[in-house]
Each structure stands twice: as C-alpha cells, then as structure tokens.
Amino acid sequence: MRLTWEELGWERVAPRVGRRRLPVWDCTVGLVVGEGAALMIDAGSSLAEGAWLRAEAERLLGPERRVTHLALTHPHFDHVFGAAAFTDVEVFGAVGLDAVFAYECEELRADAVRNGLDPDAAAEAADLLVTPRHSVSGEWTLDLGGGLQVLLANVGPGHTGHDLAVLIPGAPGPPSPAEPPGSTEIVFCGDLVEESGEPQTGPDAVPSHWPAALDRLVDLGGEDAVYVPGHGAVVDAAFVRAQREELATRFGVS
C-alpha cells in the first residue's frame, strides 16, 4: 500500500500539493502532482540535497510517475543549488535567471560558503548548476494532467531581480476517490514572503518594487488562498498584506 504524504515527511496543503521544510536553512520546497506529470518547486541547497529531495518525491509518486518539471522561485543557493539533480526535467525560472547563473555563479558559490555550506559542495553545485530551459516573462500555464493546471507568474522584482510565484488554482481534483476534493488556491511565494523571520534583503533585492510584488501575489491568490512562504509556516492573505506594509515602511515606498 502506498504511504501517505505525511508518512513520507511531507506536509500536504491540498490533495495534490505538498511541501517540505528542509533542514539547516529551513527552505521550503513544493511538489504538485498531476495525472502524468509532477512539478517540483525549488531544489534545495546542494547537489546531494537535490538528489535526496528528488528521490523522496519519487518515492511518494510511486513507480508510475516521476518529477517532470522544476520551477525555481529565485536565484539563491538554498533554493537552486540542488537543480543539477533535475537535469532531465523541464526547468523554469523568471526571465534573466539564466544570465544570473551564467555570469554570477561565483557569487552564488561564495554566498553559499559564507552561509555555511561546505566549500566542496558549493563548488560542485555551482559547476553543475542547471540553466532554466524556459524563461517566464509574464505568466506560463503548465498542464500536469488530470485537469490540473499550474500558473507560473513572474511577479518580481522584489526579494531578487527574478522572483517567480507558483499558483495552483483551486488545488483541483484528488488523485484518489478516497480523498476529498480541494478548492483552495495555493500560492508558493519563494522568499518574497517569509514567516520564520523578517524578509531578507541582500544586494540583489529591489526594495522599491517589493511591495508591488506582494500586491501581485495577493491578486493572484485572492483573500482565501493559502500562501506558502520560502521559509516558515504557511500563511494567509492578511499576513502577506501585513508584510507588504512592513516592507513599504522599511524602504519608504508606497
């Protein structure tokens, strides 16, 4: 008998949607399961973590399915350095992410080491970093089968110059009749939203546009959506709006 999401260490946020909070940096990754395809959202902080994460996802999916798509929410090492474990899948990122990987890879490696990643693991991940095949400049709809369509939305800049959100509209359809149908919108926010601490502002942040990016998140998901931050527990629209006001005040923008 197939084990459940929870038995395999995933937090299920809708019938076909789950997430994991990874150790050390508390980075969230997501998994969206369609009829014949599955989307991973972010890839972890190293090649080893990415490989482990993919194996855990495909253990959940079972022998008849595999991870077919990967969406990278933004170019920070704890979210992208596991991407080399997904070389045979369709990789998506906000437009310009490929240039960051091509020309700023050394800075990504150095940032990973500054934050405590083993230097050899950081060098390996940087050397093998997978460039997104698909660049999202506006919105892109992925059909994962079984009536499940996922929207990738370039909502940035904000936390970085290349922020991608993932909307699962209505969290539709159970894969099994034993599960209740879902109806809640789910939005994976990347680090545009953080629950476990204040949003982090690095040199690649665009503070003047960050509040507007959060407005777009709420426009995408609506008042009743579940918002999955890049770090921390899931939140609601009120939390996103409150964080938007805090950022606007901090940076002196409207």
Side-chain angles (χ1 to χ4, degrees), residues 4 17 29 42-43 49 57 64 74 93 103 108 119 150 173 209 219 229 236:
T4 67
V17 185
V29 297
D42 285 336
E49 187 167 68
E64 71 277 13
H74 64 286
Y103 301 112
L108 291 177
V150 173
H209 288 73
D219 287 343
D236 58 13

Side-chain angles (χ1 to χ4, degrees), residues 19-29 43-50 74 76-82 108-119 121-122 125 191 193-197 200 229-233:
R19 67 139 187 183
R20 289 190 86 127
R21 292 172 67 173
L22 299 177
V24 186
W25 293 282
D26 189 30
C27 174
T28 284
V29 297
S45 62
S46 68
L47 179 56
E49 187 167 68
H74 64 286
H76 285 167
F77 82 92
D78 51 333
H79 295 259
V80 304
F81 264 14
L108 291 177
R109 182 204 62 77
D111 184 56
V113 173
R114 282 194 299 269
N115 281 278
L117 186 63
D118 174 78
D191 285 4
V193 178
E194 296 191 43
E195 184 275 336
S196 54
Q200 297 301 300
H231 301 266

Side-chain angles (χ1 to χ4, degrees), residues 107-166:
E107 175 52 31
L108 291 177
R109 182 204 62 77
D111 184 56
V113 173
R114 282 194 299 269
N115 281 278
L117 186 63
D118 174 78
D120 290 339
E124 176 186 48
D127 287 344
L128 299 175
L129 194 56
V130 172
T131 299
R133 180 177 177 184
H134 306 286
S135 294
V136 182
S137 60
E139 296 180 351
W140 191 309
T141 300
L142 296 179
D143 187 347
L144 299 182
L148 179 57
Q149 292 190 328
V150 173
L151 182 71
L152 308 181
N154 185 338
V155 296
H159 176 66
T160 72
H162 313 283
D163 293 308
L164 189 74
V166 180

Side-chain angles (χ1 to χ4, degrees), residues 7 19-20 40 60 62 68 70 73-74 78 86 106 110 127 132 136 140 156 171 184 186 195 200 203 205 207 211 223:
E7 288 170 331
R19 67 139 187 183
R20 289 190 86 127
M40 182 73 70
L60 173 67
T68 54
L70 172 66
T73 62
H74 64 286
D78 51 333
F86 298 86
E106 173 56 26
D127 287 344
V136 182
W140 191 309
T184 302
I186 310 293
E195 184 275 336
Q200 297 301 300
E223 291 301 313

